[in-house]
């Protein structure tokens, strides 16, 4: 596994401390979305279908760092939208690193070479470049030709300048195990420091609703991928920027329940309930989010919208907790690899899940009305065309 040792030790110590303090729920990773605007329009994305009034909003540097302080999670993932469109994103990163947070900036890399000079290599900092497969697969996924080549060039330049650089890959039901395995071989040969991988979440607002995986297909896909490790052009093990227990979960060998509070999300609207994937209400403060959210109403087995979810933002924290509780199991995975045959672990029953509620438009309409009433000026977004 490629999670840096200093990060693994700090996060492990943090988890142990929370247990000693008797805290049942606590954050591991802050998902910070300083803006929703993006310079791509991926068919599987449910993050960019906002009206212009919302897409033109930004969290200020002060608001971003207030969220870092409020949450106090050891890791900060900055996503979006495309965070490099934020004109002060370097100040946000610098401020979080000054607070001894491990910062990961997720980017489609279209602006990475242009903006890279604003950042410094550090043990606290990583780029996470979005790549959903080889050239053809990725360009289809992002609905634009040439993006794969630009991303690969940016990865090479990032590594040349000394940055820790990982990729993040989202897989859909069009993914083929042999092609994904070959892609992982290729990115390891590029010199990336790690791979983050997850099945796509079925955003209700994504333009493409036909290609999301269900849980059984997800497990079959990942067993097929992991069974091909070391059998292609890359003879070593792939380096994942994730816990081995989460990978074992993707392969159907673990029964985990979602821990949405492990990856709380701060956006322009506030602290998002209940998680990074579902926006069904917002809290003004992190404390309010943690204390007033009815967590038992969400997660696979509790809520229809969560039925097929196996995404890292809901389950990586569950896997980390299991790793801390049973470190020998994680060690076995590192030594022997992920099991790819035999019976799968029982899945969570859906018999008592409540039906989906469709409440997305309510808070968007309220925000748009407020913005129009305040007559806020539209921010210059010239970088969006780059």
């Amino acid at each position: 596994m490629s999670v840096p040792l200093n990060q693994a030790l700090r996060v492990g110590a943090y988890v142990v401390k929370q247990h000693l303090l008797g805290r049942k729920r606590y954050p591991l990773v802050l998902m910070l979305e300083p803006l929703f605007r993006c310079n791509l329009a991926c068919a599987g994305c449910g993050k960019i279908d906002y009206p212009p009034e919302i897409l033109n909003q930004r969290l200020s540097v002060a608001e971003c760092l207030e969220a870092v302080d409020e949450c106090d999670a050891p890791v900060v993932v900055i996503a979006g939208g495309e965070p490099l469109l934020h004109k002060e994103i370097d100040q946000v990163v610098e401020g979080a690193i000054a607070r001894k947070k491990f910062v990961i900036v997720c980017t489609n890399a279209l602006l990475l070479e242009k903006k890279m000079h604003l950042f410094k290599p550090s043990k606290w900092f990583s780029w996470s470049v979005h790549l959903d497969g080889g050239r053809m697969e990725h360009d289809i996924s992002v609905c634009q030709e040439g993006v794969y080549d630009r991303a690969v060039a940016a990865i090479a330049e990032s590594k040349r300048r000394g940055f820790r650089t990982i990729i993040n890959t989202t897989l859909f039901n069009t993914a083929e195990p042999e092609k994904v395995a070959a892609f992982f071989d290729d990115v390891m040969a590029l010199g990336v420091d790690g791979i983050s991988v997850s099945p796509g979440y079925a955003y209700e607002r994504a333009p493409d609703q036909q290609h999301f995986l269900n849980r059984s297909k997800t497990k079959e896909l990942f067993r097929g991928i992991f069974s091909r490790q070391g059998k292609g052009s890359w003879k070593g093990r792939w380096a994942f920027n994730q816990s081995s227990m989460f990978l074992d979960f993707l392969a159907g060998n673990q029964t985990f329940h979602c821990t949405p509070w492990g990856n709380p999300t701060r956006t322009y609207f506030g602290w998002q309930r209940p998680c990074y994937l579902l926006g069904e209400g917002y809290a003004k403060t992190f404390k309010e989010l943690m204390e007033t959210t009815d967590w038992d109403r969400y997660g696979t087995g509790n809520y229809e919208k969560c039925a097929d979810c196996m995404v890292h933002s809901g389950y990586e924290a569950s896997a980390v907790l299991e790793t801390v509780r049973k470190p020998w199991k994680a060690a076995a995975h590192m030594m022997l690899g992920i099991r790819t045959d035999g019976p799968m672990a029982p899945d969570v029953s859906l018999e008592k899940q409540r039906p989906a509620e469709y409440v997305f438009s309510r808070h968007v309409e309220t925000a748009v009305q407020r913005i129009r009433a305040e007559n806020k000026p539209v921010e210059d977004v010239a970088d969006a065309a780059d």
Side-chain angles (χ1 to χ4, degrees):
M1 303 301 156
S2 72
V3 177
L5 180 60
N6 62 328
Q7 181 176 330
L9 292 175
R10 273 183 169 262
V11 171
Y14 169 85
V15 172
V16 170
K17 178 181 177 181
Q18 305 311 307
H19 278 257
L20 292 175
L21 292 172
R23 291 174 180 159
K24 180 181 178 181
R25 299 186 179 99
Y26 49 87
L28 284 177
V29 178
L30 166 62
M31 305 296 290
L32 181 63
E33 289 189 309
L35 77 171
F36 294 121
R37 185 173 290 279
C38 189
N39 45 7
L40 288 174
C42 305
C45 181
K47 293 284 186 176
I48 59 172
D49 66 328
Y50 292 98
E53 290 88 347
I54 301 299
L55 292 177
N56 289 330
Q57 303 306 311
R58 306 287 187 271
L59 291 180
S60 68
V61 174
E63 288 172 321
C64 289
L65 296 180
E66 181 181 19
V68 173
D69 291 336
E70 268 193 273
C71 175
D72 203 28
V75 181
V76 178
V77 172
I78 304 177
E82 171 51 55
L84 291 182
L85 289 172
H86 193 296
K87 294 183 177 180
E88 298 171 310
I89 194 62
D90 55 320
Q91 297 178 40
V92 176
V93 170
E94 184 179 352
I97 290 175
R99 290 159 168 78
K100 302 298 182 185
K101 306 299 182 183
F102 294 98
V103 180
I104 302 172
V105 174
C106 299
T107 176
N108 59 36
L110 292 182
L111 292 172
L112 183 51
E113 290 189 80
K114 177 181 178 180
K115 299 290 185 75
M116 204 179 298
H117 70 281
L118 299 173
F119 303 84
K120 298 177 181 179
S122 166
K123 69 178 182 179
W124 301 98
F125 180 67
S126 301
W127 295 112
S128 180
V129 176
H130 176 211
L131 280 182
D132 283 348
R135 180 180 289 104
M136 182 178 71
E137 291 82 9
H138 182 65
D139 286 356
I140 289 174
S141 176
V142 301
C143 305
Q144 183 173 316
E145 292 185 2
V147 176
Y148 175 87
D149 289 334
R150 292 177 67 177
V152 168
I155 289 171
E157 180 61 17
S158 174
K159 291 299 300 176
R160 189 188 71 79
R161 297 195 194 187
F163 288 97
R164 183 172 186 272
T165 308
I166 64 176
I167 66 161
N168 65 81
T169 299
T170 304
L171 299 179
F172 299 89
N173 66 9
T174 53
E176 301 174 25
E178 60 275 13
K179 287 186 177 181
V180 177
F183 166 65
F184 286 171
D185 286 345
D186 290 344
V187 295
M188 292 305 301
L190 285 175
V192 300
D193 295 289
I195 300 167
S196 290
V197 63
S198 182
Y201 176 72
Y203 287 108
E204 65 194 73
R205 306 178 312 280
D208 180 2
Q209 290 290 320
Q210 305 303 313
H211 294 109
F212 293 111
L213 288 155
N214 60 34
R215 286 170 76 91
S216 62
K217 292 295 184 182
T218 294
K219 297 169 187 179
E220 292 170 6
L221 172 63
F222 279 96
R223 283 197 171 193
I225 295 169
F226 295 147
S227 68
R228 289 167 168 81
Q229 184 169 216
K231 298 178 181 179
S233 59
W234 184 263
K235 298 305 179 183
R237 289 192 176 183
W238 302 318
F240 287 96
N241 195 64
Q242 293 165 300
S243 68
S244 61
M245 293 297 289
F246 176 69
L247 301 177
D248 203 46
F249 166 70
L250 291 179
N253 300 323
Q254 301 291 331
T255 303
F256 289 150
H257 290 276
C258 177
T259 50
W261 54 84
N263 287 49
T265 301
R266 174 67 161 94
T267 77
Y268 162 74
F269 296 114
W271 291 93
Q272 184 165 304
R273 303 185 204 269
C275 66
Y276 178 71
L277 305 168
L278 288 178
E280 303 212 337
Y282 291 83
K284 292 182 178 179
T285 66
F286 175 71
K287 186 174 187 291
E288 179 187 338
L289 173 77
M290 296 296 284
E291 293 182 355
T292 65
T293 302
D294 187 352
W295 299 107
D296 292 335
R297 287 173 54 81
Y298 300 99
T300 304
N302 295 331
Y303 190 33
E304 185 180 2
K305 288 185 181 180
C306 306
D308 288 321
C309 181
M310 294 182 71
V311 180
H312 59 91
S313 58
Y315 288 95
E316 181 71 71
S318 310
V320 169
L321 299 183
E322 184 72 1
T323 299
V324 172
R325 284 194 291 259
K326 300 176 181 178
W328 60 89
K329 293 178 68 174
H333 297 145
M334 295 178 68
M335 294 175 60
L336 304 175
I338 304 299
R339 182 170 62 83
T340 58
D341 56 15
M344 293 185 181
D347 211 339
V348 177
S349 172
L350 304 181
E351 291 182 358
K352 297 182 180 180
Q353 68 179 9
R354 64 186 176 92
E357 298 178 30
Y358 297 96
V359 297
F360 167 74
S361 62
R362 190 181 309 155
H363 63 265
V364 176
E365 291 168 359
T366 300
V368 169
Q369 291 172 3
R370 184 182 67 252
I371 292 167
R372 289 174 177 171
E374 294 172 352
N375 195 26
K376 286 189 175 182
V378 174
E379 181 176 333
D380 179 13
V381 291
D383 277 343
D386 289 352

